[in-house]
Amino acid sequence: MRISIKKHLLWALFYFLLATSLGLLLRFYLIHPVPFPYKYLVHAHSHIALLGWVYLALTSIIYGLYFNTVANGKKYRYLFWFTQLTLIGMLVTFPFQGYGLFSIIFSTLFLLASYWFFWLFATLSGSELKGTPAFICIRMGLWYMVLSSLGPWALGAIMNTLGPSSPWYRMAIYFYLHFQYNGWMMMALLGIFLLVLDQNGHVIQKRVFTKIFWCLNMGIVLSFFLSSLWTKPPWPFYVLGIFGAVLQLVAFFLLLKWLLPAYRGKGTTKEVTGMGLTLFSLIALKLVLQLASGFPFVAELASTILDFTIGYLHLVFLGIITPAILMLAKKLEWLTISKWAIRIYLLGFFGSELLIFYRGFAAWLGGEPIPRHTSLLAGVSGLILVGLWGILFKNMGLRGRGVDNG
């Protein structure tokens, strides 16, 4: 029996709703504190958002595209439910103990589950798909996922030897986040995107793909140095980080250069075109901000004003990665995305970003804060939750392409 990809995506959406609810709870924390330490709720929010939503959604799509067969279904089903055990474990332990014994156990088990998925992808994917640009990108993304896990593995040793106040503790977290956001997630999305394009008659030339692939991956590795600039390292670190950011911009424009002519004459709906333009505009903004962070003045601002960091992370997660997953899942006919739900979601995203960055600029320039800013931000962020509920309800009980009863 084949696995129902749509059901698994609905599981991922449910985790996203939980993570968003925790984020909304954090917004209200300053208005009316709840009986959980703020830092513990942040840990629960971030882990469920990254691992419950993004990881589960991406791996479900990858499984559905590459090795969703009757023979493989049983193997993957064991992995899927083991992964749910780790996610639920993190959800119920982080709010109570932060990084404690049980939350670390469940986090460690999740890392092992992610390695298990990589092994299934590498061994069970059809031979006819291996060697394609899409497969190469997804495989590279999974390697970045494994590489990023060195950060969490190192945290235990750092805490026991140097302590959580050590700069290496913060660097281990940044290492993990960088290769999650910029490596695993972006490369996996690019691979799925290229596969969807290939299925619709847009096959990228090998020469073009090679240039994009190497520029992008060299950029991903080198731009990690941008995450070290808060330590005010020697000037070569700045040069390497800026060069990495430039390489990613070059890869982005090479992709656009190939993509725009490829779409001519192929006709897409206004909805898809509008979503695509919004998404690519936000990616361009993300890459420009990343490049700017390589200059000492901007690096200092980013490291001292928390709102700039939070705004940037939400730009990547809520403005780029999440809409890309939803758009690809809709294109693959595994999710139905209503116009009103995605519009409410985007309204909440853009509104919250404006308020977060405004507060950051006000702190920097000494401007006047917006009256009742915290309440307003919580209310606007609530629109994201409304949009997600709309997407979930729209898909409950509906059947998507290739969805079986498994």
Side-chain angles (χ1 to χ4, degrees):
M1 185 177 292
R2 298 176 72 221
I3 299 294
S4 169
I5 305 303
K6 181 166 188 174
K7 288 180 181 178
H8 287 196
L9 287 173
L10 292 180
W11 269 92
L13 270 173
F14 179 68
Y15 283 120
F16 195 14
L17 280 166
L18 290 177
T20 306
S21 299
L22 287 170
L24 198 59
L25 194 61
L26 290 169
R27 298 281 188 227
F28 281 107
Y29 199 93
L30 296 176
I31 304 171
H32 190 279
V34 295
F36 294 101
Y38 183 86
K39 191 175 181 179
Y40 292 0
L41 288 179
V42 171
H43 292 326
H45 166 69
S46 59
H47 278 77
I48 298 304
L50 286 177
L51 309 179
W53 161 235
V54 179
Y55 171 85
L56 194 59
L58 286 178
T59 53
S60 296
I61 293 173
I62 292 169
Y63 171 77
L65 291 172
Y66 281 93
F67 54 104
N68 185 16
T69 65
V70 173
N72 296 334
K74 188 174 182 180
K75 298 175 183 178
Y76 181 72
R77 189 175 290 108
Y78 288 142
L79 171 59
F80 178 82
W81 289 113
F82 178 73
T83 304
Q84 304 320 301
L85 173 66
T86 68
L87 290 170
I88 294 171
M90 285 186 279
L91 180 63
V92 299
T93 55
F94 270 116
F96 292 96
Q97 62 175 192
Y99 278 106
L101 173 63
F102 292 105
S103 61
I104 290 175
I105 288 174
F106 285 116
S107 301
T108 302
L109 290 175
F110 178 87
L111 291 179
L112 298 178
S114 69
Y115 300 160
W116 186 0
F117 178 84
F118 190 4
W119 180 79
L120 290 179
F121 171 79
T123 57
L124 300 182
S125 296
S127 58
E128 71 281 359
L129 295 172
K130 296 181 178 180
T132 62
F135 184 91
I136 291 170
C137 286
I138 293 172
R139 182 179 59 193
M140 195 68 204
L142 287 166
W143 274 118
Y144 282 127
M145 179 187 71
V146 173
L147 178 64
S148 74
S149 69
L150 294 179
W153 286 121
L155 279 177
I158 293 171
M159 288 181 69
N160 289 327
T161 56
L162 303 175
S165 60
S166 166
W168 290 106
Y169 180 88
R170 190 170 165 186
M171 283 300 300
I173 295 174
Y174 286 170
F175 183 91
Y176 173 74
L177 289 175
H178 174 80
F179 287 107
Q180 280 279 314
Y181 276 95
N182 297 300
W184 146 236
M185 295 175 187
M186 297 304 290
M187 289 301 297
L189 284 170
L190 177 60
I192 298 168
F193 181 62
L194 290 176
L195 182 58
V196 170
L197 289 177
D198 185 77
Q199 291 175 348
N200 287 271
H202 305 298
V203 182
I204 190 169
Q205 300 90 341
K206 185 177 180 180
R207 175 179 55 84
V208 175
F209 172 71
T210 300
K211 290 180 181 178
I212 294 171
F213 181 81
W214 284 108
C215 281
L216 184 55
N217 284 280
M218 288 174 63
I220 289 170
V221 173
L222 291 176
S223 62
F224 169 68
F225 288 104
L226 296 175
S227 299
S228 70
L229 300 185
W230 61 276
T231 63
K232 298 182 180 179
W235 66 265
F237 286 76
Y238 290 86
V239 174
L240 290 172
I242 290 173
F243 185 50
V246 169
L247 285 174
Q248 288 185 71
L249 272 169
V250 171
F252 176 71
F253 285 114
L254 287 174
L255 180 63
L256 279 183
K257 184 180 178 182
W258 166 75
L259 188 60
L260 293 177
Y263 262 106
R264 288 175 185 168
K266 291 291 182 178
T268 56
T269 65
K270 290 182 179 180
E271 182 185 358
V272 172
T273 301
M275 190 70 172
L277 287 173
T278 301
L279 189 58
F280 274 87
S281 298
L282 291 173
I283 292 173
L285 175 61
K286 179 257 185 191
L287 293 174
V288 170
L289 290 175
Q290 182 176 258
L291 176 61
S293 70
F295 296 92
F297 176 72
V298 180
E300 179 70 16
L301 280 178
S303 64
T304 55
I305 299 179
L306 183 60
D307 281 314
F308 287 153
T309 302
I310 294 175
Y312 175 79
L313 291 176
H314 283 188
L315 167 67
V316 176
F317 179 74
L318 296 174
I320 296 174
I321 294 172
T322 292
I325 291 173
L326 294 175
M327 189 169 67
L328 290 169
K330 179 180 180 179
K331 185 67 177 178
L332 291 164
E333 299 180 17
W334 283 328
L335 286 180
T336 301
I337 312 294
S338 62
K339 292 181 180 180
W340 73 265
I342 198 64
R343 286 172 180 170
I344 290 175
Y345 171 89
L346 290 174
L347 181 62
F349 162 71
F350 283 113
S352 61
E353 284 291 278
L354 286 172
L355 289 170
I356 290 171
F357 276 105
Y358 175 86
R359 187 168 60 187
F361 278 105
W364 171 35
L365 301 173
E368 290 294 326
I370 296 176
R372 300 183 66 83
H373 179 277
T374 303
S375 300
L376 183 60
L377 180 57
V380 172
S381 299
L383 294 176
I384 296 175
L385 193 62
V386 173
L388 292 176
W389 272 114
I391 294 171
L392 184 64
F393 283 139
K394 182 72 174 178
N395 287 275
M396 292 176 68
L398 298 177
R399 294 179 64 83
R401 187 187 71 176
V403 175
D404 299 292
N405 295 322

